[in-house]
Amino acid sequence: MKNLFLLIPIIVFVISACQQTAEPVDMEAEKEAIMKVIQNESEFARDGKLQEFYNLYVQDESTLYLGSTETISRYFEGYNEIESNFQFLAEREGIDNSWITISKNNPKFKIYQNTAWVVCENIWQGENDTTSINNEGMQVTFLERIEADWKISFIGFLPKLSNEE
């Protein structure tokens, strides 16, 4: 009988622990936070905000960057390689490229507890007195939640190809 009295609190604890559910996730807020990271990554690159750009990435050797156009592709493996290959962005700091608008359209999400992936259209457009830009492509981004922040662990840029054969 004494063993039964000791066992009852343990059973009650186990049952209550099993019945606890995680707090519901506000998916719209998560999507908004993720899209802010994706948008900021491009805007920081455009504006030469090097440290802000780097801070959006997972800073370890598993981080990957893939950039591909119709003629070239760039692949960087690990945060250190990404960092060493994007030093040129610092040259853009202080240059007004605000005439270039960056749009991330039609995002498709898959969000897990601490990871997510997004596929979206990546559009850079604008025109000033001397230059015109109209780049349209697709972007694939994998993110990890590190502490409270979403960070990029993989980013890939693909050109928009024609649907015609």
Side-chain angles (χ1 to χ4, degrees), residues 107-147:
K108 307 297 182 218
F109 295 87
K110 182 68 174 185
I111 302 173
Y112 301 93
Q113 189 172 20
N114 290 312
T115 60
W117 60 258
V118 180
V119 176
C120 64
E121 296 170 355
N122 178 43
I123 302 167
W124 292 51
Q125 294 178 320
E127 189 173 334
N128 68 11
D129 295 335
T130 60
T131 308
S132 177
I133 185 170
N134 185 24
N135 290 334
E136 296 183 41
M138 297 299 294
Q139 178 174 340
V140 179
T141 310
F142 288 77
L143 302 102
E144 298 176 25
R145 188 189 318 270
I146 298 183
E147 296 176 11

